[in-house]
């Protein structure tokens, strides 16, 4: 092998090496580009997932706030209803107290009237007994008196 052939072979080997180096650089650039695209896509996906999570959390927070507001409104209605019922029960209690007082007063008056009626009945019995005794006494006196022509029984 002479010097020209060795130089030619060296140039061929250098060319092949340079071609392989260019080919390796090309593949490296492609791989790097694919990696950067993958990383961008991954970051984009992560951001999308984060936005979805945030919107889901916001939606849930909004729903929870709405639910809490709804429950607070319902609780307010219940509180107002309980207050109205308490007020109504207070009026009913006062009315019942008045009815009890009226009933007691009526019962007392009826008892007094019954006692008065009994007392009047007792007095009438005593008066009748006294009248009957006086009548008997008068009859006995009339029986002792001589009969007159005007008194004809």
């Amino acid at each position: 092998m002479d010097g020209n052939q060795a130089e030619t072979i060296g140039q061929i080997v250098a060319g092949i090496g340079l071609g392989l180096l260019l080919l390796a650089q090309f593949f490296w650039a492609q791989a790097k580009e694919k990696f950067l695209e993958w990383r961008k896509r991954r970051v984009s996906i992560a951001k999308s997932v984060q936005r979805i999570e945030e919107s889901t959390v916001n939606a849930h927070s909004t729903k929870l706030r709405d639910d809490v507001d709804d429950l607070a409104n319902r609780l307010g209605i219940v509180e107002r209803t309980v207050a109205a019922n308490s007020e109504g029960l207070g009026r009913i209690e006062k009315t019942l107290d008045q009815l009890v007082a009226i009933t007691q007063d009526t019962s007392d008056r009826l008892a007094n009237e019954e006692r008065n009626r009994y007392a009047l009945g007792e007095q009438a019995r005593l008066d009748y007994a006294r009248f009957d005794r006086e009548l008997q006494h008068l009859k006995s006196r009339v029986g002792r008196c001589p009969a007159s022509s005007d008194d004809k029984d």
Side-chain angles (χ1 to χ4, degrees), residues 17-120:
L18 185 60
L20 287 175
L21 181 62
L22 289 174
L23 191 59
Q25 282 180 339
F26 172 75
F27 283 127
W28 174 252
Q30 288 293 317
K32 186 177 177 183
E33 187 178 321
K34 293 288 182 186
F35 174 75
L36 292 175
E37 284 178 23
W38 173 81
R39 194 166 74 184
K40 282 181 188 176
R41 218 175 320 133
R42 188 175 147 262
V43 167
S44 174
I45 290 170
K47 285 182 180 178
S48 294
V49 167
Q50 185 179 4
R51 279 193 306 272
I52 289 170
E53 286 174 346
E54 287 173 357
S55 67
T56 302
V57 166
N58 288 339
H60 285 300
S61 294
T62 301
K63 174 135 179 47
L64 286 173
R65 267 193 304 275
D66 292 346
D67 289 347
V68 167
D69 289 345
D70 184 45
L71 288 174
N73 289 336
R74 288 182 184 188
L75 181 61
I77 291 169
V78 168
E79 286 174 342
R80 287 189 296 277
T81 303
V82 166
N85 287 344
S86 290
E87 186 178 314
L89 288 174
R91 286 192 300 260
I92 289 171
E93 187 177 8
K94 286 178 185 176
T95 303
L96 287 174
D97 288 344
Q98 290 171 347
L99 286 173
V100 165
I102 290 169
T103 304
Q104 186 63 45
D105 184 51
T106 304
S107 174
D108 291 345
R109 278 190 286 138
L110 287 173
N112 284 337
E113 286 178 15
E114 187 65 28
R115 279 192 298 273
N116 290 343
R117 229 180 283 126
Y118 178 77
L120 286 176

Side-chain angles (χ1 to χ4, degrees), residues 133-147:
R133 280 192 309 269
E134 287 178 13
L135 181 64
Q136 293 303 322
H137 177 69
L138 288 175
K139 280 184 182 179
S140 70
R141 281 182 68 196
V142 167
R144 284 186 257 151
C145 293

Side-chain angles (χ1 to χ4, degrees), residues 118-133:
Y118 178 77
L120 286 176
E122 188 65 24
Q123 185 62 45
R125 190 181 64 74
L126 292 173
D127 288 346
Y128 177 77
R130 187 176 44 92
F131 175 74
D132 191 44
R133 280 192 309 269

